[in-house]
Amino acid sequence: MTQALVLNATNEPLSVVPGRRAAVLVLDGKADAVHLSGVELRSENLSLPIPSVVRLQYYVRVPYLRRGSLSRRGVLARDDHSCQYCGHRADSIDHVRPRSRGGGHTWDNVVAACGRCNTRKRDRLPSEIGMRLRRTPRPPTWTTLIRLSAGEVPDHWGAYLHDDRALSA
C-alpha cells in the first residue's frame, strides 16, 4: 500500500499515514489532495484516487514538543551513515562522552562511527587521543524523522520536506 504525507493547513509536514487513511481524510472533507499517487481505492460504488500528499483544511496546533526517540537507525540517518571521526562509512554508534564517564544516551552525545574509530576511542574522550568530531551532534530535524519513518520518500515530497529546524533534546 502507498503512503501519504500529511501537511498542516500551513504546508508544514505533520506525519506520514497509509494511503488508505489519506483517502478517507479527503473523502470526509478534512483534507484536500495535493498530489495523487496514481493508485485507486475501489469499492462497489466508488473509485477514489489515493493521494500521495494531502493538506488539512484546518490548522492543527501541535501542543507538544516534537521529539524523536534516540535509535541507532536515527543516529546513522542523521549523520548520513558517515563516521563523524574519519568520514568513512559508519556501521555503529559511539558516545562522545562515554557513559562510563557520565555521558548521557542523548542526541547531542551520540554520533555515527566506523568500527575502527569506535574501537580506537574505547571509553576515552576524543580530545584525550587526538580525535576530532567533524560535526557537533544535535537532535535531528523533524523532517529527517519523517523521512526516516517513511522509508522511501517520493521525489515530489521534497518540496514539503525542507525544514532544517533542529528538535530539542
Side-chain angles (χ1 to χ4, degrees):
M1 183 52 103
T2 62
Q3 292 183 322
L5 177 65
V6 178
L7 305 173
N8 211 340
T10 58
N11 283 342
E12 172 190 15
L14 289 177
S15 65
V16 176
V17 297
R20 187 177 183 141
R21 174 68 179 136
V24 170
L25 287 171
V26 171
L27 193 60
D28 286 345
K30 296 179 180 180
D32 297 318
V34 176
H35 191 277
L36 299 177
S37 67
V39 180
E40 289 189 349
L41 182 63
R42 299 174 192 259
S43 73
E44 183 180 354
N45 301 322
L46 181 67
S47 178
L48 182 69
I50 296 179
S52 176
V53 179
V54 295
R55 179 179 32 249
L56 297 177
Q57 289 187 350
Y58 50 89
Y59 179 77
V60 174
R61 182 175 172 273
V62 183
Y64 56 89
L65 183 61
R66 295 176 175 173
R67 295 175 190 242
S69 58
L70 180 65
S71 67
R72 178 180 181 274
R73 183 177 169 207
V75 171
L76 291 172
R78 177 197 67 189
D79 294 342
D80 298 322
H81 294 271
S82 174
C83 177
Q84 296 304 296
Y85 297 112
C86 69
H88 288 95
R89 180 133 179 98
D91 53 6
S92 63
I93 62 171
D94 177 61
H95 292 84
V96 178
R97 179 177 190 85
R99 296 184 82 180
S100 63
R101 292 189 173 193
H105 189 63
T106 59
W107 283 109
D108 55 353
N109 190 46
V110 178
V111 295
C114 66
R116 183 172 167 249
C117 288
N118 203 350
T119 302
R120 180 176 164 225
K121 184 177 163 291
R122 296 190 315 219
D123 65 341
R124 299 177 285 191
L125 296 174
S127 59
E128 293 176 349
I129 56 171
M131 295 176 85
R132 293 188 50 172
L133 285 171
R134 293 174 167 261
R135 283 188 302 209
T136 303
R138 60 180 174 77
T141 62
W142 179 245
T143 55
T144 299
L145 294 174
I146 286 179
R147 288 177 192 271
L148 188 61
S149 71
E152 192 173 319
V153 176
D155 292 337
H156 59 272
W157 285 15
Y160 307 103
L161 299 177
H162 51 75
D163 186 9
D164 288 330
R165 292 172 291 180
L167 300 172
S168 297

